Amino acid sequence: MQDDEILIGEGVALSTGAAPVTLRMLSGIIDMLVYGATAFFAFTAIANTLGGVLNGAAWRAVAIITIVATLVLLPATVETLTRGLSTGRLAVGVRVVRDDGGPIAFRHAFIRAFLGLFEEYMTLGMLAITSSLLSARGKRLGDILAGTYAMRVRGGTKALPPLVMPAHLAPWAASADMRRLPDGLALTSRMFLARAGALRPDSRARLGTDLGARVLDHVSPPPPAGTHPEYAIAAVLAERASREYGFETGRQARAAAEDARVSTLPYGVRDVEN
C-alpha cells in the first residue's frame, strides 16, 4: 500500500482524492458498453463489406485486429488525447492520473487498456473489481503496472490554493538538492499545506513537524536553523514545482526546435516546386 493518506487525531484524512471503487465500477461499465458496441459495429461493417472475400483464417485475423484496435488502441488514444478521460469517467467525474497527480502519457494509457482487455472484458470485470477492492487507491492491475490511479474531479476535493515560496527561504531552496523527494510524500505534504488551517493547533504542529522531518530527509543541505516546518515544506514544494515546470518548458521548446529542423531541407539543397 502506498503512503498516500495520513489519519490525524480528529479523524481527518489527508488523502490524494482517489475515486471510490463504486464510481470506478460505474465508469468501467459505461466504457465496456461503449467500446464493446464500437467493436461489434466495426466487425459488422467489415463483414458486410468483405463477407464474400475472406476465408476462415482471414476472418480470425480480422477479428483479432478489430478487437485490438477498438478495445486497446482506441481507449489508449482517447485517454491520451483527453488526459485520462473516457466516456464513462466523464459521466461520473473521474480522471486517470499518474501516481504523482500528473497527466498520463500514451504508455500509461496503453498499459491500462491492454491489461483491461483481460481484467474487464475476459473476466467481465471481476478481476478489476477484486484488485480495486484490495488496493489503497482502488487500483486495478493495469493501474498498478502503469503507475496510475483514478482521481475524483467532480464532487470531490476543491482546487488547492497556489504554492507560495517563503521569501526568506528562496536562496536556500534554489541551491538545495531535492531530487530524491518521493512523489507520494510530496503530494501528501501538498494536501497538508492546503488543509493546515482547518486543523487543531496541536495536531497541526505535530503533523507539520513529522512531515517536515520526512521531507527534509530527502533534501540537502538542510534549511537554516530554526526554520518552521511548514515554511520548509512550502519552500521545497514551490521550488520543486518551479524546476519541473522549467524542465517541461525546456523539453517542449527542444521538441519544437527539433520538429522545425527535421521539417526543413538540408543545407544547400534548393526547394524547387514542381
Side-chain angles (χ1 to χ4, degrees), residues 167-214:
H168 64 288
L169 293 179
W172 163 74
S175 61
D177 180 5
M178 55 189 69
R179 291 172 295 178
R180 298 183 298 113
L181 182 64
D183 293 331
L185 179 57
L187 188 56
T188 300
S189 302
R190 181 73 175 91
M191 298 300 296
F192 163 73
L193 291 180
R195 301 187 181 184
L199 304 179
R200 279 176 24 192
D202 56 339
S203 296
R204 177 176 178 174
R206 183 174 64 255
L207 187 56
T209 301
D210 177 65
L211 280 176
R214 291 166 57 188

Side-chain angles (χ1 to χ4, degrees), residues 62-76:
V62 168
I64 294 174
I65 294 174
T66 302
I67 291 174
V68 172
T70 55
L71 301 186
V72 178
L73 296 181
L74 179 59

Side-chain angles (χ1 to χ4, degrees), residues 255-266 271:
E258 181 67 13
D259 290 342
R261 187 182 69 83
V262 300
S263 63
T264 59
L265 290 172
D271 186 5

